[in-house]
Amino acid sequence: MNIFHKLKVTAVAGLVVGLISVSGSALAQQVTPQKTPQQQTQAISDQDIKLFVDASTRLMELQQESEKAMLVILEEEKLSVDKFNALAQAHQQQKLAEAEGTAAEKAAFNKAIGRMMEMQPDIEKNMQTAIQKDGMTMERYEQIMLAYQQDPAVQAKIQKLMGL
């Protein structure tokens, strides 16, 4: 799989997640008030980081499976990734009616989105299961993710454990 195809697949997944994912943002809003990066680093044990990396690895595998399923849907609906991305972007901007595309393409897009939305509850359930498999809570996973995004020391520890 070449790099451009991977980028397209990632774009599809990103747009679909943006279009149909509500629970992720709701979960992120429930996170407790932010501590300073240093406080977060001190509160995150090496065991927590290992659990986070293990959960993240499982999540990456789930993401790949979901992307493959979404690509199958696009193939079945005879919709190219590029056309889907363009229509998805127009949909996000509430300008689908004005978007460039035939009526058949827009109908295929709507059908594909519907099918992808039907997948969403299972995807979310599988994500929660992947995170909680070794005893990590969703809240703790989100706290560590936030620390990873904000604290270079946490980032370095996680990347080292992931072999990056």
Side-chain angles (χ1 to χ4, degrees):
M1 183 181 297
N2 70 35
I3 189 72
F4 293 112
H5 184 70
K6 280 187 171 190
L7 290 173
K8 286 181 183 179
V9 170
T10 302
V12 168
L15 283 171
V16 170
V17 169
L19 286 171
I20 61 181
S21 176
V22 174
S23 67
S25 62
L27 287 172
Q29 291 172 1
Q30 294 174 2
V31 174
T32 55
Q34 298 177 10
K35 297 177 180 179
T36 65
Q38 190 168 10
Q39 290 170 319
Q40 288 174 340
T41 303
Q42 293 172 352
I44 299 174
S45 70
D46 288 344
Q47 179 63 25
D48 283 343
I49 288 177
K50 177 161 181 13
L51 291 174
F52 176 84
V53 168
D54 290 346
S56 294
T57 301
R58 287 189 292 272
L59 289 177
M60 284 187 271
E61 291 168 5
L62 286 171
Q63 179 184 358
Q64 290 173 349
E65 290 171 17
S66 298
E67 288 171 0
K68 286 178 187 175
M70 289 177 201
L71 286 173
V72 167
I73 290 171
L74 293 182
E75 287 176 20
E76 290 173 353
E77 297 302 330
K78 296 175 178 51
L79 197 59
S80 73
V81 172
D82 289 335
K83 181 53 72 175
F84 177 84
N85 286 340
L87 292 172
Q89 188 173 14
H91 184 268
Q92 278 184 316
Q93 297 168 351
Q94 299 181 344
K95 295 181 180 181
L96 185 57
E98 299 93 36
E100 188 176 314
T102 66
E105 288 172 332
K106 291 177 183 178
F109 170 79
N110 286 326
K111 192 170 179 185
I113 284 292
R115 291 176 63 189
M116 290 175 190
M117 288 177 70
E118 289 173 6
M119 293 171 44
Q120 194 64 23
D122 287 336
I123 291 170
E124 290 174 9
K125 180 182 170 204
N126 292 340
M127 288 173 66
Q128 287 182 349
T129 300
I131 290 170
Q132 296 170 344
K133 181 180 181 197
D134 296 324
M136 178 167 279
T137 65
M138 294 294 292
E139 181 181 22
R140 187 63 178 150
Y141 183 87
E142 290 170 358
Q143 289 169 347
I144 296 170
M145 177 60 78
L146 186 62
Y148 174 81
Q149 293 168 345
Q150 296 177 347
D151 187 341
V154 172
Q155 220 174 64
K157 283 183 181 181
I158 290 171
Q159 288 174 349
K160 182 179 179 185
L161 196 55
M162 292 181 91
L164 300 176

